[in-house]
Amino acid sequence: MLKTSMKFATQILKVDPAAIHFSDTAHIDGSLPTFSCPETEKNLLKAASIIRDSSETVAFPTETVYGLGGSSLNDESVRNIYKAKNRPSDNPLITHISSLSQLNRKIYSENTGDSKPFTNIPDIYHPLIEKLWPGPLTILLPIPKGQNTLSELTTANQPTFACRIPANPVARALISLSDTPIAAPSANASTRPSPTTAQHVYHDLQGRIPLILDGGKCSVGVESTVIDGLVTPPMLLRPGGLTYEDILRIGGDSWKDCLVESKISVKDNEKVKTPGMKYRHYSPKAKVILLVPNDSAKEISQERIEILRSTIANEVQKEGSHKVAFLSSRYLTGSSLGINCIHESLGTSGKEIQANLFALLRKVDEEDNADLIIVEGTEANDEGLAIMNRLRKAASNNTIEF
């Protein structure tokens, strides 16, 4: 693990996503954005210069979470990402591109022109990225043979690299203006809940990075979905902003047998293909208990509520907790636990819960200073697959069924 160094007066610069405009084909041909706000353009050009002309890093919004970016082509930039986050160096990074043209030119060193933009992308991915890029979908691609463009530090010694085109206009503009593929994990201190606002980034990384672009709250709220179409059958390695059901529906016959990575944890010396599969993730300082609903639960009987209350009371007493926070979702209310607690609602739909999850974990941990956080989970389908993936990791699999 690389040690951090505190050396920056971290700036936060405002940018307006609505003031950034792309042509319909920019994600294919790499045409540059236009701007209707001079301040947004100025701030993005400053950030792009840092990415392109130095080895430093910039935090920026994507539609999923805020990312901490440095050039994927520059070993020192990638080292600075790991240092700022205090992130283990065997945890691979996703490379973000602005267009297929940039992928071909900058990573594969091929100027294919506009006639063959998909030339370096295996056929199995084509129906998905034609519909879902730009967006929260990450694919695994083979590392270019005989090319030294992509920093080996982004791949953690794997024969593949993870890649996506983000949908957020700020992220797309930053990558496009720098004309540099950007390696970017979430812009938080390693192990902490991912950031969905610039303020979350500042809380964790103040003094460790030079610049944060503040483009408002992230709309999706969890990281991208990562898929591997280079194996048979293909695999969903990390659930995220696009659902497993989306992959099956759009991917066609090639994806009908897609498997879901089911490992809860991996060994210390085991190599992983994508972020989020190894080490502690998404965890507040406070202990987290995850309440897992019975798959058949549509209504919760009073008898089951009473059993849950008794179990929770025993946990609170065992932990010696003085301030308990409860994040509810679909079935339980603030009074369901039968204890005094800070109560926040995550929402009731999958998209609401997903969008609010990390922000509310941070609120009750960092602002309310809870010493025990109890979270009501949801069914593990649609958006719930990614939600429960994050919550099980946040809770270190400390769960109670109800």
Side-chain angles (χ1 to χ4, degrees), residues 300-375:
I300 308 300
S301 69
Q302 190 57 40
E303 180 182 5
R304 289 172 65 197
I305 289 288
E306 291 303 324
I307 293 172
L308 181 61
R309 283 185 172 189
S310 176
T311 304
I312 292 296
N314 288 338
E315 286 288 337
V316 171
Q317 184 176 18
K318 182 179 73 174
E319 294 296 325
S321 301
H322 300 289
K323 188 179 283 190
V324 179
F326 175 48
L327 307 184
S328 66
S329 61
R330 289 177 169 155
Y331 302 118
L332 302 176
T333 64
S335 60
S336 297
L337 303 189
I339 58 173
N340 290 326
C341 61
I342 302 159
H343 174 230
E344 297 282 354
S345 173
L346 289 165
T348 55
S349 73
K351 288 188 182 299
E352 287 175 333
I353 297 167
Q354 191 173 260
N356 293 326
L357 180 60
F358 289 140
L360 286 178
L361 279 174
R362 281 181 170 271
K363 177 185 179 297
V364 296
D365 188 49
E366 296 165 6
E367 298 176 25
D368 297 324
N369 295 310
D371 52 15
L372 178 64
I373 303 172
I374 301 169
V375 187

Side-chain angles (χ1 to χ4, degrees), residues 19 34 118 124 136 173 194 196 230 263 273 320 337 375 378 382 395 401:
T34 59
F118 289 84
I124 189 171
S194 299
T196 55
L230 306 179
K263 285 185 180 180
K273 297 179 179 179
L337 303 189
V375 187
T378 185
D382 297 313
E401 292 191 7

